[in-house]
Amino acid sequence: IDKRYVLYVGDRSDYKNFDIAVKTIRHIHNCIMVIVGGGALRADEKELLQEECFHYQGISTKDLNILYNNAFCLLYPSSYEGFGIPVLEAMRAGCPVVSTNLSSIPEVAGDAGLLVNNIKVEEFVKEIEKLEDNEFRDKIIAKGLEQSKKFSWDRCFEETFEFYKEVVGKKFS
């Protein structure tokens, strides 16, 4: 992709606010949307898009990482998340995150994400435009790389195992 792009990753269910993401991109100068996953685009989604975009399905982890590495930012306007893996993946890849201050996202993003309190186009546009300042963008990327270190499968296992030991009251070997 030889154009500047904002990345949208995942499902396009109602609570993911895909329509808000599309409308937001329309307000970002010289930028297209790249969509990853979520199955084939429905007719209403294609009609909503109108502008040039790319849609990838079933791509490898390596290719997804390349998309994160080169994106202007991840736009993740979800109203609800159990965890928010794309937020973590983006930060780990050095991709700034613009998302919502809802559900588990603030815990995952920490102070490294640009989070909005209201799911409105103008709120997302305002946060994305902050990334035009290269010095600010670099700081957000550095914070994201640091924040992503707080999460790992090994740590998840260790904390879960400690919890079970505490609940059961026994030592496991």
Side-chain angles (χ1 to χ4, degrees):
I1 302 169
D2 63 352
K3 296 183 179 186
R4 185 170 83 152
Y5 63 90
V6 169
L7 192 58
Y8 177 95
V9 176
D11 194 335
R12 295 183 304 277
S13 303
D14 288 345
Y15 71 93
K16 296 288 190 171
N17 300 302
F18 178 70
D19 60 326
I20 299 291
V22 171
K23 292 172 186 173
T24 298
I25 301 306
R26 289 185 188 149
H27 291 85
I28 306 300
H29 178 68
N30 195 28
C31 200
I32 64 169
M33 184 174 210
V34 172
I35 305 158
V36 176
L41 291 168
R42 299 185 318 259
D44 63 315
E45 292 171 334
K46 288 178 184 176
E47 186 177 323
L48 177 66
L49 283 163
Q50 296 173 355
E51 310 292 324
E52 179 184 7
C53 72
F54 290 89
H55 180 219
Y56 298 99
Q57 296 182 76
I59 66 172
S60 69
T61 303
K62 179 183 174 187
D63 288 339
L64 177 57
N65 195 56
I66 290 169
L67 288 173
Y68 280 128
N69 290 154
N70 293 294
F72 186 67
C73 68
L74 170 71
L75 177 55
Y76 201 69
S78 180
S79 299
Y80 174 78
E81 288 302 315
F83 183 79
I85 292 286
V87 172
L88 182 58
E89 289 174 333
M91 291 187 308
R92 188 162 282 156
C95 177
V97 173
V98 178
S99 190
T100 57
N101 195 20
L102 299 169
S103 193
S104 63
I105 295 170
E107 183 179 350
V108 176
D111 69 347
L114 301 176
L115 306 180
V116 303
N117 291 317
N118 300 304
I119 301 175
K120 295 185 177 182
V121 170
E122 55 274 8
E123 298 256 346
F124 289 112
V125 169
K126 185 174 125 186
E127 295 306 311
I128 292 171
E129 286 177 344
K130 289 179 182 178
L131 296 169
E132 297 289 349
D133 177 332
N134 288 331
E135 188 175 320
F136 177 77
R137 180 182 166 77
D138 290 344
K139 285 180 184 175
I140 290 296
I141 290 170
K143 284 182 175 185
L145 290 168
E146 202 55 40
Q147 177 70 10
S148 72
K149 292 177 184 176
K150 295 178 181 178
F151 301 93
S152 74
W153 289 115
D154 289 341
R155 182 173 176 206
C156 178
F157 170 79
E158 289 167 12
E159 289 178 1
T160 303
F161 190 63
E162 288 302 316
F163 170 77
Y164 284 131
K165 285 182 359 185
E166 184 179 316
V167 169
V168 175
K170 296 181 182 178
K171 292 215 178 233
F172 293 92
S173 51

